[in-house]
Amino acid sequence: MATCINAPSLAIFFLLLPLLLSSPSSAARPHALIAPLTKDPKTLQYLTRLNQRTPSLPLNLVVDLAGRYLWVNCDSNYVSSTYRPAPCRSSLCSLASAVSCGKCYSSPGIGCYNNTCGVFPNNPFTGTSTYGEIGVDTLSLPSTDGLTPSSLVSDPSFIFSCAPSFLTSGLAAGVAGIAGFSRTRVALPSQLATKFEFHSRFALCLPSNPRSTGAIFFGPGPYNFLPDIDASQSLIYTPLLTNPISTAQIYNGGEPSYEYFIGVTAIKVGGTAVALNKTLLTINKKTGYGGTKISTTVAYTTLETSIYKSLTTAFSAALANVSRVAAVAPFDLCYDGKGLGSTRVGPGVPAGVRGCFGFVDGGSLPRTSIVIGGYQLEDNLVEFDLANSRVGFSSTLLFRRTTCSNFNFTSSP
Ligand SMILES: *[C@@H]1O[C@H](CO)[C@@H](O)[C@H](O)[C@H]1NC(C)=O
Ligand SMILES: *[C@@H]1O[C@H](CO)[C@@H](O)[C@H](O)[C@H]1NC(C)=O
Ligand SMILES: *[C@@H]1O[C@H](CO)[C@@H](O)[C@H](O)[C@H]1NC(C)=O
Ligand SMILES: *[C@@H]1O[C@H](CO)[C@@H](O)[C@H](O)[C@H]1NC(C)=O
């Protein structure tokens, strides 16, 4: 059993870039929306739960910050009276940047209509993509004032892609598909923002414990955690950067990346910046290589080899007096928990239990030099503010005496 250490603070600095905006006002709309966020202990995938279809069915979906839209397995028991396929060349197809428009030769039904447009839903864990029909159906989730959930609200025409059963291979048990949270207009956050008329913004608070439940907020704060801590008050913002070259496994030519890049310019260990090759920290505008992105489908922050080496060297120097123990994959540096009491933030690492440096070597020519993974985001609130083109980080909520698992999910009347 290995516990991980979440060591260096990432010092994040700035560049500017205005982008994406969303829209106006109407009556009786929810202030914000809320969804649960859990961690699957076996795959380390982060999952949410949304209701889809008529009659409504709760679905577990993997949260993917790089996903372009929501896709679900339509092959097994998709029953709904409100499903509608997207007719070829309709505005739904252009909104989804659908590329195909064809015939289906397997048994007709949901996911197999003729003259319907389609896309190529992707499973980032297996690297598989396949054809999937675009359709709309009802999607519902609880509204919130930021303190507790309240009544369910519905989008009767939520756009998503169908996928065949095999695309769910490699996903956590009981999962129906993937909820895309990227920057496209059909990603989950943008569709909800457009439908419920709030600025396009969402916040993730990843739980550190597979037995507890974190939260996803769609729309404005507060983002409240017991005992009455509003995490939106501790956000520090950095500009959201755009990589002009797609980083997707499958994409249309000329598309930018729809992932969330930020400008990390320095990494500090114990207050001292480690030496880094600055070229690697910058996005190369011609090739799309380099830079830093945030990912919920990578378990541990993954660093280009030279960055990884500088960081492990600095880290092992800072922990020179703590006994090393045999490392467990995928880590290289592990310590006896006994010596770590004063050096880390987070739950205790007991004596006799390994505490590993929770970063992974990403090789010498990765597409993106730093991929901030789920583990380093846990018990931090991260706000993706598309309307203002910025990303906000609360620092660890443990310093504020709360955790991501302290949202009050008891519904208020
Ligand atoms: C679609 O059209 C083709 C050719 O017209 C036909 O063979 C096929 O069965 C149709 N599929 C569905 C799902 O209706
Ligand atoms: C820094 O990284 C760039 C991109 O990989 C590489 O071309 C360059 O040689 C590196 N510079 C040094 C000093 O290692
Ligand atoms: C390690 O322990 C020695 C002796 O107690 C002390 O002088 C030194 O500063 C310590 N080094 C670190 C990095 O804590
Ligand atoms: C959680 O919210 C419910 C409903 O608003 C409320 O009754 C309850 O007291 C809250 N729990 C705590 C611990 O504040």
Side-chain angles (χ1 to χ4, degrees), residues 103-109 112-114:
K103 300 208 182 285
C104 182
Y105 292 95
S106 35
S107 50
C112 183
Y113 278 84
N114 268 341

Side-chain angles (χ1 to χ4, degrees), residues 248-272:
Q249 281 165 348
I250 189 164
Y251 59 95
N252 302 333
E255 277 182 347
S257 172
Y258 294 113
E259 295 194 69
Y260 298 91
F261 280 81
I262 56 170
V264 169
T265 57
I267 300 177
K268 294 182 177 181
V269 174
T272 310

Side-chain angles (χ1 to χ4, degrees), residues 5-8 300-301 303 308 311 330-332 357-361 376:
I5 311 162
N6 199 358
Y300 302 97
T301 295
L303 306 164
Y308 178 79
L311 202 56
F331 308 118
D332 287 333
F357 179 64
F359 292 75
V360 172
D361 185 344
Q376 276 70 23

Side-chain angles (χ1 to χ4, degrees), residues 71-78 110-111 121 123 126 128 130-132 161-172 175-178:
W71 66 258
V72 300
N73 175 358
C74 291
D75 277 357
S76 71
N77 301 318
Y78 195 119
I110 291 173
N123 177 330
T126 56
T128 311
T130 188
Y131 180 77
S161 166
C162 275
S165 296
F166 76 80
L167 201 62
T168 60
S169 111
L171 303 186
V175 161
I178 295 188

Side-chain angles (χ1 to χ4, degrees), residues 360-385:
V360 172
D361 185 344
S364 58
L365 256 182
R367 184 63 189 274
T368 302
S369 304
I370 302 180
V371 181
I372 301 175
Y375 181 75
Q376 276 70 23
L377 301 173
E378 290 173 0
D379 286 326
N380 286 264
L381 182 108
V382 186
E383 183 189 76
F384 299 85
D385 180 355

Side-chain angles (χ1 to χ4, degrees), residues 148 226 408 410-412:
T148 54
L226 294 170
N408 183 354
T410 309
S411 301
S412 57

Side-chain angles (χ1 to χ4, degrees), residues 140-380:
S140 59
L141 67 172
S143 55
T144 186
D145 56 2
L147 278 69
T148 54
S150 46
S151 54
L152 285 180
V153 295
S154 292
D155 177 351
S157 50
F158 186 85
I159 305 168
F160 70 104
S161 166
C162 275
S165 296
F166 76 80
L167 201 62
T168 60
S169 111
L171 303 186
V175 161
I178 295 188
F181 276 71
S182 74
R183 300 166 70 173
T184 69
R185 291 174 301 172
V186 285
L188 178 66
S190 312
Q191 283 200 64
L192 295 176
T194 304
K195 185 72 200 179
F196 298 107
E197 302 184 328
F198 43 70
H199 281 297
S200 193
R201 177 179 356 181
F202 67 98
L204 299 180
C205 209
L206 269 49
S208 54
N209 184 332
R211 284 171 299 278
S212 62
T213 303
I216 307 174
F217 300 86
F218 299 93
Y223 309 131
N224 236 59
F225 295 87
L226 294 170
D228 201 22
I229 309 290
D230 177 7
S232 73
Q233 298 302 311
S234 28
L235 292 172
I236 293 173
Y237 289 97
T238 187
L240 181 55
L241 306 184
T242 295
N243 185 334
I245 313 292
S246 180
T247 44
Q249 281 165 348
I250 189 164
Y251 59 95
N252 302 333
E255 277 182 347
S257 172
Y258 294 113
E259 295 194 69
Y260 298 91
F261 280 81
I262 56 170
V264 169
T265 57
I267 300 177
K268 294 182 177 181
V269 174
T272 310
V274 302
L276 301 174
N277 177 344
K278 300 282 192 226
T279 308
L280 293 168
L281 299 181
T282 312
I283 299 166
N284 181 318
K285 298 274 194 279
K286 288 208 179 72
T287 63
Y289 275 66
T292 300
K293 71 178 182 184
I294 306 173
S295 173
T296 48
T297 55
V298 165
Y300 302 97
T301 295
T302 302
L303 306 164
E304 180 277 336
T305 297
S306 71
I307 301 175
Y308 178 79
K309 285 195 173 133
S310 301
L311 202 56
T312 42
T313 304
F315 193 77
S316 58
L319 286 184
N321 287 349
V322 178
S323 338
R324 299 256 305 255
V325 296
V328 280
F331 308 118
D332 287 333
L333 266 188
C334 293
Y335 296 90
D336 181 354
K338 179 174 51 162
L340 296 173
S342 58
T343 57
R344 48 107 196 103
V345 166
V349 184
V353 170
R354 243 184 288 258
C356 298
F357 179 64
F359 292 75
V360 172
D361 185 344
S364 58
L365 256 182
R367 184 63 189 274
T368 302
S369 304
I370 302 180
V371 181
I372 301 175
Y375 181 75
Q376 276 70 23
L377 301 173
E378 290 173 0
D379 286 326
N380 286 264

